[in-house]
Every structure is written in structure tokens, then in C-alpha cells.
Amino acid sequence: MIYKALLTGMLCYMLIPDLSHGGDHLLYFEAQGISGYSQREDEVIFYSRSQEDVMQKPSLGFDYLQRLSHQSGDFGAVAIQARVAYDDDNFEFQLYNAYLKLKHKSTDIWLGHNRPALGLSSYFDSHGLVLSTLAMNHFGFDRDWGIGVFRNFLWGDAGISLTTGSGMPLHFKGNYLFSIRVSRGILNQENYNSGFSLSYGKLLDTMGYHLMEDETEPFAITGVDFTYLWNQFENRFEIMAGKNRAQNSFAFFYRFGINLLNEGRLKFEAQPVYLKMGAEHTCEISMGSAFIVSGDVTVRTMYHFDYPGDDHKIIFQLYYYRKV
């Protein structure tokens, strides 16, 4: 299904006349090595979260962006980001970004595999990072298949999306996810952004590209998030509550970061996460560092502990991202 969707999108792009003429493009080569140790597994591991999750694993891939333009200027873009990852003695094709975006004044309309309008993950790109967000802990999706609209205002921005509620794979089994987020503050101008989100739908239980159950499960979540940047300090905060997979659920996320050295080449981060779904409670503590060796190479480390899983993990990542 994923391969058919990618092929169809690429064919449509090539068949639309004059889309590629006059539009600039960017192409990046991406490679990452991941290794670490899990106390619970008592062995060396080659993933950052779990064997079933998509992120992060040893992989090779590319990131392609084609700007669409005509005589009066840019009117959209096509983005495709894909990779082949090492997965339990096998190789797995992963399609991350795959969408067409059209622009009209201050409004963007996208179609494909992109970020739903829910919480921090709607604007905070965690691709390549080893610390996780709530979207990676079954509170929404980091990427989902569907359509969305995003608009900038003088006071902030607003987004709305209708997606499949299946995450990385594309399935149609009565599943859907409607999300809306409204925020105040322009992060790259005022150094803060505070958002309010609502999301409702019927989700499929997926883990990475694996469909765990055929039956849909209700999802109705309210969330608030806040990002504040001050000098070399970063603060990201998020709370979600409601029905998640038909269970009363609550999630708390906070990430603190400090940037050091010239141009923030060295970063230290600390992150507590609390998750409640029904009667199950999970606490996670993560601490990490990132050092930009060069414009193409970044080295990241992470210590992660979760309770009641009682697992201590140490992760090392070598990330290479170079313009071709």
C-alpha cells in the first residue's frame, strides 16, 4: 500500500505540466547509525525506542523538496523523505514525508503524509532526534495520511487536518482522525508559541508499519502546549487528556534544553514524561546531548529510564545529513 501511494504521487507529480520548470529543488542524503544497550534486554540494541517503532534505527535515505513556481512566484512544494532501515535482521522501507503543499497568500493546503494539527508535533520536527514526543507514545501521530490546512495570522497560526488515523501505514477500515490546533505567538519572532488542540476520531492500533488490530478504537483528546525560547534555553511543555483507545487517558511532557558553544553546537536536554491509559501508568525520564561535529555530522546520546518497565537504556547516534 505504501509503495502504491508513493508511486501514484510521483506519477501525478510528473504528469502535471510545468510543475518542475522554474522551481528550485533541494536534495539531501541522510544516514544514521544507532546502537546502545538495554538493561532489560541485557544486550546490545540497534534502535532508540523499541524494535517495532520506526524511529530511530540504522538507515540510509534521502530528503527531497521541490518548490513549485510560476512567473508570479512560488505556489507550492512537493516533499518526499524516505529511507531503508535495518530492522531485526531485515531491511524495512520507511516513507516519512510524502505530500503536496499548495500556497495561497498566508494559507497552506497539503495532501499526503504529513503532520496532523495536534499538539507540539504539528510544528516541532523531531525527525532524526532520539528523544521522543507524545506523538511517539500513542497520543496522536508524528505523521499521518490525509489532508490539512494551515494559516498564519499576525497573532499566531491555526491548522486543521483530516487524516486516516493509521500513522505510518495507509489503511481504510473505517478509521479517521479530525484535528484542529490554534496557537498564539510567532516562535521565530517572539520566541514563544502557545497552542490549544482538539482531536476526535477512530484510530487503528499500529506500531510502526505493523497493524496490530483490525478494529478501530475511539479517540477524543484535548491538549495544550507551550514553547518558550530564551537566550540559550529551550522549554517545551505539553498536556493531553481525554479518551485514548476508549480509555480515560492523561499525558504530561516537558523538555528542557540548553545550547552551548558557538551557534549552539552543543546541546544538553532533560525530559520527564508521564502517561496514563486506563489503569496503566508509565513514567519516563530521558536525558540527552547533541554535538554538531560539522555542518553534515551530528553525534547524539541518550539515557532513558521507564517505570514500571524498569528498563535503563543508553543510546548513541551518528547522524549524517548532507546536501547533494
Side-chain angles (χ1 to χ4, degrees), residues 175-210:
N175 46 294
Y176 69 93
L177 179 64
F178 175 80
S179 303
I180 182 170
R181 179 180 180 271
V182 179
S183 75
R184 184 171 183 82
I186 302 175
L187 192 60
N188 59 3
Q189 296 179 12
E190 302 173 286
N191 292 329
Y192 85 94
N193 183 269
S194 58
F196 174 75
S197 301
L198 291 172
S199 189
Y200 179 84
K202 295 181 179 180
L203 309 186
L204 285 173
D205 186 8
T206 58
M207 180 69 74
Y209 283 100
H210 308 286

mmCIF file of all heavy atoms in Angstrom, residues 175-210:
data_model
loop_
_atom_site.group_PDB
_atom_site.id
_atom_site.type_symbol
_atom_site.label_atom_id
_atom_site.label_comp_id
_atom_site.label_asym_id
_atom_site.label_seq_id
_atom_site.Cartn_x
_atom_site.Cartn_y
_atom_site.Cartn_z
ATOM 1 N N ASN A 175 -11.467 4.027 9.743
ATOM 2 C CA ASN A 175 -10.631 4.845 10.626
ATOM 3 C C ASN A 175 -10.512 6.264 10.091
ATOM 4 O O ASN A 175 -10.508 6.493 8.875
ATOM 5 C CB ASN A 175 -9.234 4.228 10.761
ATOM 6 C CG ASN A 175 -8.650 3.800 9.420
ATOM 7 O OD1 ASN A 175 -9.164 2.884 8.774
ATOM 8 N ND2 ASN A 175 -7.577 4.451 9.005
ATOM 9 N N TYR A 176 -10.404 7.235 11.006
ATOM 10 C CA TYR A 176 -10.198 8.628 10.638
ATOM 11 C C TYR A 176 -9.769 9.397 11.878
ATOM 12 O O TYR A 176 -9.966 8.962 13.011
ATOM 13 C CB TYR A 176 -11.473 9.255 10.057
ATOM 14 C CG TYR A 176 -12.588 9.439 11.062
ATOM 15 C CD1 TYR A 176 -12.739 10.643 11.754
ATOM 16 C CD2 TYR A 176 -13.472 8.405 11.341
ATOM 17 C CE1 TYR A 176 -13.751 10.817 12.688
ATOM 18 C CE2 TYR A 176 -14.481 8.557 12.268
ATOM 19 C CZ TYR A 176 -14.619 9.771 12.939
ATOM 20 O OH TYR A 176 -15.617 9.932 13.879
ATOM 21 N N LEU A 177 -9.181 10.574 11.656
ATOM 22 C CA LEU A 177 -8.769 11.445 12.755
ATOM 23 C C LEU A 177 -8.946 12.896 12.316
ATOM 24 O O LEU A 177 -8.311 13.353 11.370
ATOM 25 C CB LEU A 177 -7.314 11.190 13.138
ATOM 26 C CG LEU A 177 -6.757 12.064 14.278
ATOM 27 C CD1 LEU A 177 -7.490 11.778 15.579
ATOM 28 C CD2 LEU A 177 -5.257 11.841 14.456
ATOM 29 N N PHE A 178 -9.813 13.613 13.006
ATOM 30 C CA PHE A 178 -10.028 15.041 12.764
ATOM 31 C C PHE A 178 -9.323 15.818 13.871
ATOM 32 O O PHE A 178 -9.547 15.568 15.059
ATOM 33 C CB PHE A 178 -11.518 15.367 12.758
ATOM 34 C CG PHE A 178 -11.811 16.833 12.646
ATOM 35 C CD1 PHE A 178 -11.753 17.468 11.412
ATOM 36 C CD2 PHE A 178 -12.124 17.586 13.770
ATOM 37 C CE1 PHE A 178 -12.011 18.826 11.306
ATOM 38 C CE2 PHE A 178 -12.385 18.943 13.674
ATOM 39 C CZ PHE A 178 -12.324 19.559 12.435
ATOM 40 N N SER A 179 -8.476 16.777 13.496
ATOM 41 C CA SER A 179 -7.701 17.537 14.469
ATOM 42 C C SER A 179 -7.715 19.014 14.117
ATOM 43 O O SER A 179 -7.730 19.385 12.940
ATOM 44 C CB SER A 179 -6.245 17.050 14.520
ATOM 45 O OG SER A 179 -6.164 15.670 14.816
ATOM 46 N N ILE A 180 -7.671 19.840 15.156
ATOM 47 C CA ILE A 180 -7.583 21.284 14.971
ATOM 48 C C ILE A 180 -6.704 21.873 16.078
ATOM 49 O O ILE A 180 -6.777 21.442 17.225
ATOM 50 C CB ILE A 180 -8.987 21.947 14.975
ATOM 51 C CG1 ILE A 180 -8.871 23.453 14.725
ATOM 52 C CG2 ILE A 180 -9.742 21.648 16.265
ATOM 53 C CD1 ILE A 180 -10.207 24.127 14.473
ATOM 54 N N ARG A 181 -5.850 22.806 15.696
ATOM 55 C CA ARG A 181 -4.977 23.476 16.662
ATOM 56 C C ARG A 181 -4.942 24.964 16.364
ATOM 57 O O ARG A 181 -4.774 25.373 15.207
ATOM 58 C CB ARG A 181 -3.556 22.909 16.622
ATOM 59 C CG ARG A 181 -2.601 23.587 17.600
ATOM 60 C CD ARG A 181 -1.201 22.988 17.527
ATOM 61 N NE ARG A 181 -0.288 23.628 18.469
ATOM 62 C CZ ARG A 181 0.446 24.707 18.189
ATOM 63 N NH1 ARG A 181 0.379 25.266 16.982
ATOM 64 N NH2 ARG A 181 1.246 25.230 19.095
ATOM 65 N N VAL A 182 -5.081 25.774 17.404
ATOM 66 C CA VAL A 182 -4.989 27.227 17.311
ATOM 67 C C VAL A 182 -3.924 27.680 18.293
ATOM 68 O O VAL A 182 -3.887 27.212 19.441
ATOM 69 C CB VAL A 182 -6.332 27.913 17.633
ATOM 70 C CG1 VAL A 182 -6.194 29.427 17.544
ATOM 71 C CG2 VAL A 182 -7.423 27.416 16.691
ATOM 72 N N SER A 183 -3.040 28.570 17.856
ATOM 73 C CA SER A 183 -1.950 28.997 18.738
ATOM 74 C C SER A 183 -1.760 30.504 18.683
ATOM 75 O O SER A 183 -2.168 31.177 17.722
ATOM 76 C CB SER A 183 -0.643 28.300 18.358
ATOM 77 O OG SER A 183 -0.095 28.857 17.190
ATOM 78 N N ARG A 184 -1.120 30.993 19.711
ATOM 79 C CA ARG A 184 -0.776 32.410 19.803
ATOM 80 C C ARG A 184 0.737 32.532 19.975
ATOM 81 O O ARG A 184 1.351 31.771 20.718
ATOM 82 C CB ARG A 184 -1.490 33.079 20.979
ATOM 83 C CG ARG A 184 -1.251 34.582 21.062
ATOM 84 C CD ARG A 184 -2.139 35.251 22.085
ATOM 85 N NE ARG A 184 -1.943 36.706 22.109
ATOM 86 C CZ ARG A 184 -2.510 37.557 21.280
ATOM 87 N NH1 ARG A 184 -3.329 37.113 20.351
ATOM 88 N NH2 ARG A 184 -2.285 38.856 21.371
ATOM 89 N N GLY A 185 1.308 33.532 19.287
ATOM 90 C CA GLY A 185 2.748 33.745 19.352
ATOM 91 C C GLY A 185 3.445 33.207 18.121
ATOM 92 O O GLY A 185 3.111 32.125 17.626
ATOM 93 N N ILE A 186 4.419 33.946 17.619
ATOM 94 C CA ILE A 186 5.206 33.526 16.459
ATOM 95 C C ILE A 186 6.593 33.167 16.959
ATOM 96 O O ILE A 186 7.358 34.033 17.398
ATOM 97 C CB ILE A 186 5.262 34.651 15.409
ATOM 98 C CG1 ILE A 186 3.825 35.020 14.988
ATOM 99 C CG2 ILE A 186 6.069 34.211 14.199
ATOM 100 C CD1 ILE A 186 3.756 36.203 14.058
ATOM 101 N N LEU A 187 6.921 31.887 16.907
ATOM 102 C CA LEU A 187 8.115 31.376 17.585
ATOM 103 C C LEU A 187 9.395 32.016 17.080
ATOM 104 O O LEU A 187 10.263 32.387 17.881
ATOM 105 C CB LEU A 187 8.182 29.854 17.427
ATOM 106 C CG LEU A 187 9.194 29.123 18.297
ATOM 107 C CD1 LEU A 187 8.913 29.359 19.778
ATOM 108 C CD2 LEU A 187 9.180 27.627 17.989
ATOM 109 N N ASN A 188 9.544 32.168 15.772
ATOM 110 C CA ASN A 188 10.802 32.708 15.246
ATOM 111 C C ASN A 188 10.888 34.227 15.325
ATOM 112 O O ASN A 188 11.898 34.810 14.923
ATOM 113 C CB ASN A 188 11.029 32.234 13.811
ATOM 114 C CG ASN A 188 9.916 32.658 12.877
ATOM 115 O OD1 ASN A 188 8.984 33.365 13.274
ATOM 116 N ND2 ASN A 188 9.984 32.215 11.633
ATOM 117 N N GLN A 189 9.843 34.887 15.846
ATOM 118 C CA GLN A 189 9.878 36.335 16.029
ATOM 119 C C GLN A 189 9.738 36.732 17.494
ATOM 120 O O GLN A 189 10.428 37.623 17.971
ATOM 121 C CB GLN A 189 8.759 37.001 15.218
ATOM 122 C CG GLN A 189 8.906 36.837 13.714
ATOM 123 C CD GLN A 189 7.776 37.494 12.950
ATOM 124 O OE1 GLN A 189 6.994 38.264 13.509
ATOM 125 N NE2 GLN A 189 7.670 37.187 11.669
ATOM 126 N N GLU A 190 8.827 36.064 18.205
ATOM 127 C CA GLU A 190 8.547 36.419 19.598
ATOM 128 C C GLU A 190 9.104 35.412 20.595
ATOM 129 O O GLU A 190 8.939 35.572 21.798
ATOM 130 C CB GLU A 190 7.036 36.559 19.794
ATOM 131 C CG GLU A 190 6.406 37.597 18.872
ATOM 132 C CD GLU A 190 4.893 37.608 18.957
ATOM 133 O OE1 GLU A 190 4.256 36.681 18.429
ATOM 134 O OE2 GLU A 190 4.349 38.555 19.569
ATOM 135 N N ASN A 191 9.714 34.335 20.091
ATOM 136 C CA ASN A 191 10.355 33.307 20.917
ATOM 137 C C ASN A 191 9.380 32.515 21.780
ATOM 138 O O ASN A 191 9.791 31.886 22.749
ATOM 139 C CB ASN A 191 11.447 33.915 21.810
ATOM 140 C CG ASN A 191 12.625 34.418 20.998
ATOM 141 O OD1 ASN A 191 12.945 33.874 19.940
ATOM 142 N ND2 ASN A 191 13.246 35.480 21.479
ATOM 143 N N TYR A 192 8.095 32.542 21.456
ATOM 144 C CA TYR A 192 7.155 31.695 22.180
ATOM 145 C C TYR A 192 5.986 31.333 21.282
ATOM 146 O O TYR A 192 5.672 32.027 20.303
ATOM 147 C CB TYR A 192 6.634 32.382 23.447
ATOM 148 C CG TYR A 192 5.448 33.288 23.222
ATOM 149 C CD1 TYR A 192 4.144 32.811 23.397
ATOM 150 C CD2 TYR A 192 5.624 34.614 22.827
ATOM 151 C CE1 TYR A 192 3.054 33.646 23.169
ATOM 152 C CE2 TYR A 192 4.547 35.445 22.623
ATOM 153 C CZ TYR A 192 3.262 34.961 22.792
ATOM 154 O OH TYR A 192 2.182 35.766 22.574
ATOM 155 N N ASN A 193 5.335 30.208 21.604
ATOM 156 C CA ASN A 193 4.124 29.788 20.927
ATOM 157 C C ASN A 193 3.324 28.924 21.894
ATOM 158 O O ASN A 193 3.853 27.977 22.466
ATOM 159 C CB ASN A 193 4.454 28.993 19.656
ATOM 160 C CG ASN A 193 3.215 28.588 18.885
ATOM 161 O OD1 ASN A 193 2.665 27.510 19.109
ATOM 162 N ND2 ASN A 193 2.787 29.427 17.960
ATOM 163 N N SER A 194 2.062 29.294 22.110
ATOM 164 C CA SER A 194 1.186 28.514 22.988
ATOM 165 C C SER A 194 -0.021 28.064 22.183
ATOM 166 O O SER A 194 -0.646 28.859 21.471
ATOM 167 C CB SER A 194 0.733 29.353 24.188
ATOM 168 O OG SER A 194 0.058 30.526 23.770
ATOM 169 N N GLY A 195 -0.354 26.764 22.276
ATOM 170 C CA GLY A 195 -1.393 26.213 21.433
ATOM 171 C C GLY A 195 -2.452 25.447 22.196
ATOM 172 O O GLY A 195 -2.216 24.933 23.291
ATOM 173 N N PHE A 196 -3.630 25.377 21.594
ATOM 174 C CA PHE A 196 -4.757 24.603 22.116
ATOM 175 C C PHE A 196 -5.237 23.679 21.003
ATOM 176 O O PHE A 196 -5.471 24.126 19.872
ATOM 177 C CB PHE A 196 -5.887 25.519 22.569
ATOM 178 C CG PHE A 196 -7.132 24.790 22.989
ATOM 179 C CD1 PHE A 196 -7.188 24.134 24.216
ATOM 180 C CD2 PHE A 196 -8.246 24.743 22.157
ATOM 181 C CE1 PHE A 196 -8.334 23.454 24.601
ATOM 182 C CE2 PHE A 196 -9.392 24.074 22.532
ATOM 183 C CZ PHE A 196 -9.443 23.423 23.764
ATOM 184 N N SER A 197 -5.388 22.380 21.312
ATOM 185 C CA SER A 197 -5.732 21.388 20.300
ATOM 186 C C SER A 197 -6.957 20.582 20.700
ATOM 187 O O SER A 197 -7.180 20.317 21.895
ATOM 188 C CB SER A 197 -4.567 20.416 20.068
ATOM 189 O OG SER A 197 -3.401 21.079 19.656
ATOM 190 N N LEU A 198 -7.720 20.186 19.688
ATOM 191 C CA LEU A 198 -8.823 19.242 19.838
ATOM 192 C C LEU A 198 -8.683 18.182 18.759
ATOM 193 O O LEU A 198 -8.360 18.506 17.606
ATOM 194 C CB LEU A 198 -10.178 19.940 19.698
ATOM 195 C CG LEU A 198 -10.605 20.909 20.792
ATOM 196 C CD1 LEU A 198 -11.886 21.638 20.376
ATOM 197 C CD2 LEU A 198 -10.834 20.176 22.108
ATOM 198 N N SER A 199 -8.933 16.927 19.129
ATOM 199 C CA SER A 199 -8.811 15.848 18.162
ATOM 200 C C SER A 199 -9.857 14.770 18.455
ATOM 201 O O SER A 199 -10.081 14.411 19.618
ATOM 202 C CB SER A 199 -7.401 15.248 18.212
ATOM 203 O OG SER A 199 -7.196 14.354 17.146
ATOM 204 N N TYR A 200 -10.479 14.277 17.383
ATOM 205 C CA TYR A 200 -11.535 13.271 17.545
ATOM 206 C C TYR A 200 -11.487 12.310 16.362
ATOM 207 O O TYR A 200 -11.254 12.720 15.219
ATOM 208 C CB TYR A 200 -12.906 13.949 17.592
ATOM 209 C CG TYR A 200 -14.054 12.975 17.745
ATOM 210 C CD1 TYR A 200 -14.431 12.511 19.006
ATOM 211 C CD2 TYR A 200 -14.746 12.515 16.628
ATOM 212 C CE1 TYR A 200 -15.471 11.607 19.146
ATOM 213 C CE2 TYR A 200 -15.788 11.610 16.763
ATOM 214 C CZ TYR A 200 -16.147 11.168 18.018
ATOM 215 O OH TYR A 200 -17.180 10.269 18.148
ATOM 216 N N GLY A 201 -11.707 11.027 16.638
ATOM 217 C CA GLY A 201 -11.737 10.070 15.546
ATOM 218 C C GLY A 201 -11.811 8.641 16.009
ATOM 219 O O GLY A 201 -12.078 8.342 17.183
ATOM 220 N N LYS A 202 -11.575 7.743 15.065
ATOM 221 C CA LYS A 202 -11.484 6.307 15.312
ATOM 222 C C LYS A 202 -10.159 5.831 14.740
ATOM 223 O O LYS A 202 -9.943 5.896 13.528
ATOM 224 C CB LYS A 202 -12.654 5.572 14.665
ATOM 225 C CG LYS A 202 -14.016 5.915 15.260
ATOM 226 C CD LYS A 202 -15.124 5.125 14.594
ATOM 227 C CE LYS A 202 -16.482 5.453 15.208
ATOM 228 N NZ LYS A 202 -17.578 4.687 14.558
ATOM 229 N N LEU A 203 -9.283 5.365 15.619
ATOM 230 C CA LEU A 203 -7.913 5.051 15.232
ATOM 231 C C LEU A 203 -7.701 3.558 15.069
ATOM 232 O O LEU A 203 -8.382 2.735 15.688
ATOM 233 C CB LEU A 203 -6.932 5.573 16.296
ATOM 234 C CG LEU A 203 -7.063 7.036 16.728
ATOM 235 C CD1 LEU A 203 -5.920 7.396 17.657
ATOM 236 C CD2 LEU A 203 -7.118 7.965 15.539
ATOM 237 N N LEU A 204 -6.726 3.235 14.236
ATOM 238 C CA LEU A 204 -6.236 1.869 14.143
ATOM 239 C C LEU A 204 -5.015 1.723 15.046
ATOM 240 O O LEU A 204 -4.227 2.647 15.191
ATOM 241 C CB LEU A 204 -5.849 1.529 12.705
ATOM 242 C CG LEU A 204 -7.001 1.289 11.729
ATOM 243 C CD1 LEU A 204 -6.462 1.131 10.310
ATOM 244 C CD2 LEU A 204 -7.815 0.064 12.124
ATOM 245 N N ASP A 205 -4.888 0.561 15.654
ATOM 246 C CA ASP A 205 -3.749 0.293 16.530
ATOM 247 C C ASP A 205 -2.576 -0.169 15.668
ATOM 248 O O ASP A 205 -2.533 -1.310 15.212
ATOM 249 C CB ASP A 205 -4.124 -0.779 17.551
ATOM 250 C CG ASP A 205 -3.033 -0.997 18.589
ATOM 251 O OD1 ASP A 205 -2.057 -0.211 18.595
ATOM 252 O OD2 ASP A 205 -3.145 -1.945 19.396
ATOM 253 N N THR A 206 -1.643 0.745 15.424
ATOM 254 C CA THR A 206 -0.468 0.427 14.625
ATOM 255 C C THR A 206 0.791 0.643 15.452
ATOM 256 O O THR A 206 0.834 1.495 16.332
ATOM 257 C CB THR A 206 -0.397 1.305 13.360
ATOM 258 O OG1 THR A 206 -0.383 2.687 13.736
ATOM 259 C CG2 THR A 206 -1.588 1.040 12.447
ATOM 260 N N MET A 207 1.805 -0.119 15.148
ATOM 261 C CA MET A 207 3.123 0.030 15.755
ATOM 262 C C MET A 207 4.128 0.052 14.620
ATOM 263 O O MET A 207 4.408 -0.971 14.002
ATOM 264 C CB MET A 207 3.429 -1.111 16.712
ATOM 265 C CG MET A 207 4.787 -1.017 17.381
ATOM 266 S SD MET A 207 4.905 0.335 18.570
ATOM 267 C CE MET A 207 3.941 -0.343 19.925
ATOM 268 N N GLY A 208 4.636 1.269 14.324
ATOM 269 C CA GLY A 208 5.466 1.399 13.136
ATOM 270 C C GLY A 208 4.616 1.143 11.900
ATOM 271 O O GLY A 208 3.576 1.759 11.704
ATOM 272 N N TYR A 209 5.042 0.185 11.065
ATOM 273 C CA TYR A 209 4.270 -0.187 9.883
ATOM 274 C C TYR A 209 3.414 -1.430 10.124
ATOM 275 O O TYR A 209 2.809 -1.955 9.185
ATOM 276 C CB TYR A 209 5.212 -0.436 8.702
ATOM 277 C CG TYR A 209 5.716 0.839 8.077
ATOM 278 C CD1 TYR A 209 6.980 1.329 8.386
ATOM 279 C CD2 TYR A 209 4.918 1.572 7.201
ATOM 280 C CE1 TYR A 209 7.444 2.509 7.827
ATOM 281 C CE2 TYR A 209 5.377 2.749 6.645
ATOM 282 C CZ TYR A 209 6.637 3.207 6.955
ATOM 283 O OH TYR A 209 7.083 4.381 6.407
ATOM 284 N N HIS A 210 3.343 -1.885 11.362
ATOM 285 C CA HIS A 210 2.614 -3.114 11.670
ATOM 286 C C HIS A 210 1.218 -2.782 12.182
ATOM 287 O O HIS A 210 1.046 -1.990 13.114
ATOM 288 C CB HIS A 210 3.374 -3.938 12.712
ATOM 289 C CG HIS A 210 4.807 -4.192 12.350
ATOM 290 N ND1 HIS A 210 5.174 -5.088 11.374
ATOM 291 C CD2 HIS A 210 5.967 -3.642 12.806
ATOM 292 C CE1 HIS A 210 6.486 -5.100 11.252
ATOM 293 N NE2 HIS A 210 6.996 -4.231 12.114
#
